[in-house]
Amino acid sequence: MKHAMHAMHTIVMTGASRGIGRVAAEQILRRSPDAHLLVVARGSSGAQLAADLATGGHAVSYVPADLGSLRSVRSAATEIRARLDSGELPPLRAFVGNAGVQHTNALTEGPDGFESTFTVNVLAHHLFVRLLQDRFTAPARIVITASDTHFGDLRHNLGMVPGPAWKSPDVLARTGAFPRPHTTAAGRTAYATSKLAAIYLVHEYARRLPTGIDAVAYNPGFVPGTGLARNADPLSRFAMRHVLPAMTLTPFATTRGAAGRHLADVVLGTTRAPTGSYVDRGSEARSSEMSYDPRREDELWDAVERFTRPSS
């Protein structure tokens, strides 16, 4: 993998503007001078982000997209394809789906009629993978940021986040999929479930994508202070800001810097991770027992293919 990264190549990344994504983007540019980093971000924030990351002479550009809208994602992916085809961008070697959203309810509907957590955390990245898959130059790598909330046990999240509650994808993709859908607990259940779905899809990519395109799920661990809880209730926000950062001194939590470095390691191939695997911070590991389920994976694949088809 590493030797092939020496020619100029493109890495497309979502969720690079803050938190671990921002650290990872800076690390990738510093450690891989041949990388052209293409950041996908909302409107004018993408231009600002690209300008900030480009200081020091790095090659950075951006494509605007609202990941909450499949139409917007489709047009961004189409623009990236056109730039690759015209030679404006060097060959595509990596896609990093790091963006994630968590709501304070399970009732937030996006413009496509799907629940917003599911749209951003599952459908948007799936659409990017599918629209870019024939533009990768092997060896290439797709990295999707997962979360150990998908275990749903005390050991992985101290019981702070409810675990996933799997249902038919046709239910999960819509608002109100979980009990008491107006509550923060339902919003967090939607988040944990979307991260389980992302792991299922990584297993499907490993089966279905052409040889030479690896797909890996990356778990940053529990990282306080990344802004993920910015929509949370005041008490949770207080805990996230003042109590939990102290926990980064314990083995339970990961600092933003370490999590960003680990993500860069996976993207750059420094961390060995075969296709379909799950990387827990710095090394390959097993994800939860329920995350290995070929029947659910196949059902989810069919559903997300249907949900992301262009509406004529």
Side-chain angles (χ1 to χ4, degrees):
M1 176 87 196
K2 274 195 271 200
H3 63 271
M5 283 286 199
H6 286 324
M8 272 308 279
H9 58 277
T10 298
I11 296 174
V12 173
M13 183 172 186
T14 71
S17 58
R18 58 157 74 88
I20 67 173
R22 180 61 180 264
V23 174
E26 290 165 356
Q27 287 272 329
I28 287 165
L29 289 167
R30 193 157 63 237
R31 288 157 53 186
S32 183
D34 302 317
H36 179 116
L37 186 66
L38 178 76
V39 293
V40 177
R42 265 204 175 149
S44 56
S45 67
Q48 187 56 56
L49 173 63
D52 292 349
L53 290 170
T55 51
H58 300 299
V60 188
S61 58
Y62 80 101
V63 168
D66 170 5
L67 298 182
S69 154
L70 296 180
R71 174 176 292 176
S72 178
V73 169
R74 185 180 308 282
S75 92
T78 305
E79 183 177 331
I80 294 168
R81 286 166 62 106
R83 288 192 197 177
L84 286 162
D85 293 350
S86 72
E88 183 191 329
L89 287 173
L92 179 62
R93 293 262 186 202
F95 172 75
V96 188
N98 177 62
V101 65
Q102 182 175 304
H103 290 285
T104 51
N105 58 54
L107 294 170
T108 311
E109 188 173 273
D112 308 280
F114 299 114
E115 192 272 326
S116 171
T117 315
F118 195 84
T119 304
V120 174
N121 298 0
V122 183
L123 298 178
H125 289 144
H126 181 70
L127 193 49
F128 270 120
V129 166
R130 297 290 278 145
L131 291 174
L132 295 176
Q133 76 173 57
D134 59 353
R135 293 300 191 276
F136 283 102
T137 299
R141 180 163 270 203
I142 291 162
V143 181
I144 305 291
T145 299
S147 158
D148 50 14
T149 57
H150 86 274
F151 280 91
D153 60 14
L154 206 60
R155 190 164 71 83
H156 287 87
N157 57 26
L158 297 188
M160 288 186 298
V161 182
W166 193 257
K167 295 172 160 60
S168 148
D170 284 278
V171 174
L172 293 179
R174 306 288 174 182
T175 54
F178 307 104
R180 302 179 61 233
H182 58 285
T183 61
T184 301
R188 290 179 178 166
T189 302
Y191 177 80
T193 307
S194 75
K195 292 303 189 174
L196 175 60
I199 296 171
Y200 284 149
L201 287 178
V202 164
H203 296 159
E204 284 296 302
Y205 300 148
R207 286 185 195 108
R208 294 172 185 262
L209 292 178
T211 310
I213 305 176
D214 291 351
V216 176
Y218 163 70
N219 167 44
F222 171 67
V223 187
T226 57
L228 188 66
R230 57 188 172 277
N231 303 330
D233 56 281
L235 186 65
S236 296
R237 278 208 308 271
F238 179 84
M240 279 287 186
R241 248 203 312 275
H242 303 289
V243 183
L244 301 176
M247 293 178 56
T248 53
L249 304 175
T250 72
F252 177 71
T254 319
T255 64
R256 202 178 67 172
R261 279 196 305 280
H262 290 320
L263 175 53
D265 288 337
V266 180
V267 175
L268 297 174
T270 313
T271 296
R272 217 195 116 276
T275 189
S277 65
Y278 176 82
V279 172
D280 178 32
R281 289 163 280 201
S283 56
E284 189 198 340
R286 267 186 80 75
S287 46
S288 69
E289 284 314 308
M290 79 180 127
S291 72
Y292 300 94
D293 189 328
R295 199 184 51 79
R296 283 184 181 178
E297 289 160 3
D298 196 51
E299 182 190 27
L300 180 62
W301 174 274
D302 290 343
V304 296
E305 285 289 283
R306 192 168 76 243
F307 299 154
T308 54
R309 222 169 268 148
S311 48
S312 40

